[in-house]
């Protein structure tokens, strides 16, 4: 096994692209190192990206935010600007692991681990976040929901690295929220999760919405019909009931020891409803 710590993205991409065996990227390592210790993987090459300039920083411009691939979730929690504009995204990031893990884990690693139950991904999908990808063919940007294609699998080609997650500047009267259900009070994997992002007009009517569900299908679901149930209306009881019904019907869960299909469908509707209520209040709705 080879371990390298490149100082440039070009070097990292070249090493990954030229590796004849299996290769892995090390950012926080909270997923990679656990899987290695458990004997699930044994990479021929580990590329540690933490020394690459800019990947450990949160950038803020007039257009929005750029969260580098090596930014630990604890740092996101300390960003006043990010908390103010995207509280739902930060809420989700702060649920990954323990306090100790928070100092290492990253949302890019959470995304690339491609778990259907990843906490940060539904919130990012609801937020309309994009992944900035660098590879042998240059740079490209894709929607976050296009990265995971199945449990443990991503759409990234050989040699490609996600360098940052991009979030747009919030429109006025906007709000987002993320909620999950877990068997314990903390440090557990989501049985069901929901992220909701809303923008209101001056009368409190929803004019745009995104609703995402986690842990109820092989990948996070962006439920467009759920968004349609909210758009053009205030968040009244009828809209919330319709939202819950659509979200329950959109689920494609499995039965396992942590929850049944029926239970997950029911909880998906409940969480979507609660997350929408919080997002609506954060957007200034009454």
């Amino acid at each position: 096994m080879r371990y390298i710590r490149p100082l440039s993205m070009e070097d990292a991409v070249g090493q990954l692209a030229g590796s004849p065996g299996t290769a892995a990227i090390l950012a926080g390592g909270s997923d990679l190192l656990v899987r290695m210790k458990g004997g699930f993987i044994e990479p021929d090459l580990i590329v540690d990206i933490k020394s690459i300039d800019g990947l450990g920083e949160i950038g803020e411009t007039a257009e929005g935010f750029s969260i580098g691939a090596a930014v630990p979730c604890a740092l996101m929690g300390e960003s006043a600007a990010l908390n103010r504009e995207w509280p739902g995204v930060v809420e989700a990031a702060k649920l990954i692991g323990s306090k100790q893990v928070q100092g290492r884990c990253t949302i890019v690693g959470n995304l690339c681990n491609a778990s259907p139950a990843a906490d940060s991904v539904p919130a990012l999908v609801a937020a309309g976040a994009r992944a900035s990808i660098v590879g042998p063919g240059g740079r490209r940007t894709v929607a976050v929901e296009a990265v995971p294609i199945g449990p443990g699998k991503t759409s990234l080609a050989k040699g490609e690295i996600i360098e940052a997650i991009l979030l747009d500047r919030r429109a006025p009267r906007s709000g987002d929220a993320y909620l999950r259900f877990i068997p314990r009070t903390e440090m557990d994997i989501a049985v069901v999760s929901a992220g909701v992002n809303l923008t209101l007009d001056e009368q409190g009517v929803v004019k745009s919405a995104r609703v995402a569900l986690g842990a109820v299908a092989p990948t996070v679901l962006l439920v467009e019909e759920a968004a349609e149930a909210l758009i053009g209306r205030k968040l009244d009881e009828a809209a919330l009931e319709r939202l819950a019904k659509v979200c329950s019907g959109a689920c494609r869960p499995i039965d396992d020891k942590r929850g049944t299909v029926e239970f997950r469908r029911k909880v998906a509707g409940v969480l979507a409803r609660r997350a929408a209520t919080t997002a609506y209040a954060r957007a200034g709705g009454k």
Side-chain angles (χ1 to χ4, degrees):
M1 183 184 294
R2 288 196 303 131
Y3 167 88
I4 62 170
R5 195 177 175 99
L7 300 178
S8 70
M9 186 61 73
E10 291 73 20
D11 187 16
V13 167
Q15 293 282 353
L16 286 169
S19 174
T22 58
I25 298 171
L26 173 63
S30 56
D31 287 316
L32 175 63
L33 298 181
V34 171
R35 293 172 66 198
M36 289 173 62
K37 187 173 182 179
F40 298 105
I41 58 171
E42 189 174 341
D44 298 296
L45 172 67
I46 295 178
V47 180
D48 187 340
I49 62 172
K50 289 192 290 295
S51 291
I52 298 176
D53 189 41
L55 294 199
E57 300 173 1
I58 299 174
E60 183 180 359
T61 67
E63 288 73 37
F65 296 88
S66 172
I67 304 169
V71 171
C73 292
L75 188 61
M76 292 177 61
E78 294 171 0
S79 170
L82 196 59
N83 273 274
R84 182 175 60 253
E85 293 214 27
W86 292 105
V89 171
V90 176
E91 282 171 343
K94 289 171 67 177
L95 288 173
I96 302 172
S98 64
K99 293 291 185 182
Q100 295 89 337
V101 170
Q102 282 282 304
R104 281 296 198 185
C105 65
T106 69
I107 58 171
V108 171
N110 196 227
L111 173 62
C112 291
N113 191 47
S115 167
D119 276 311
S120 69
V121 182
L124 290 170
V125 171
R130 304 176 309 283
S132 175
I133 302 170
V134 183
R139 281 179 165 78
R140 64 188 180 100
T141 302
V142 302
V144 160
E145 58 266 32
V147 176
I149 56 175
K153 299 179 181 179
T154 74
S155 59
L156 299 177
K158 185 176 177 63
E160 287 191 322
I161 301 173
I162 296 179
E163 65 174 350
I165 296 296
L166 308 177
L167 288 164
D168 289 335
R169 184 69 67 184
R170 295 308 306 258
R173 295 178 293 280
S174 296
D176 70 324
Y178 172 79
L179 291 173
R180 69 176 183 180
F181 173 83
I182 58 174
R184 301 185 294 177
T185 56
E186 61 181 341
M187 288 178 62
D188 209 337
I189 300 170
V191 177
V192 182
S193 60
V196 178
N197 180 29
L198 304 174
T199 299
L200 315 180
D201 66 14
E202 293 182 357
Q203 285 72 46
V205 175
V206 178
K207 60 179 187 178
S208 68
R210 286 174 69 91
V211 179
L213 300 175
V216 293
T219 60
V220 169
L221 297 177
L222 177 62
V223 189
E224 295 183 357
E225 189 180 351
E228 292 169 2
L230 302 177
I231 294 172
R233 311 182 63 166
K234 292 189 175 182
L235 208 65
D236 55 20
E237 184 62 26
L240 288 171
E241 283 295 322
R242 174 62 180 163
L243 169 68
K245 182 178 180 180
V246 169
C247 285
S248 293
C251 295
R252 305 195 304 273
I254 59 171
D255 277 313
D256 62 19
K257 63 183 180 181
R258 304 181 69 249
T260 64
V261 168
E262 182 181 8
F263 177 76
R264 285 187 162 106
R265 284 178 174 156
K266 174 66 175 179
V267 174
V270 172
L271 289 184
R273 179 188 175 111
R274 292 178 181 176
T277 301
T278 299
Y280 189 75
R282 286 174 174 169
K286 298 178 181 179

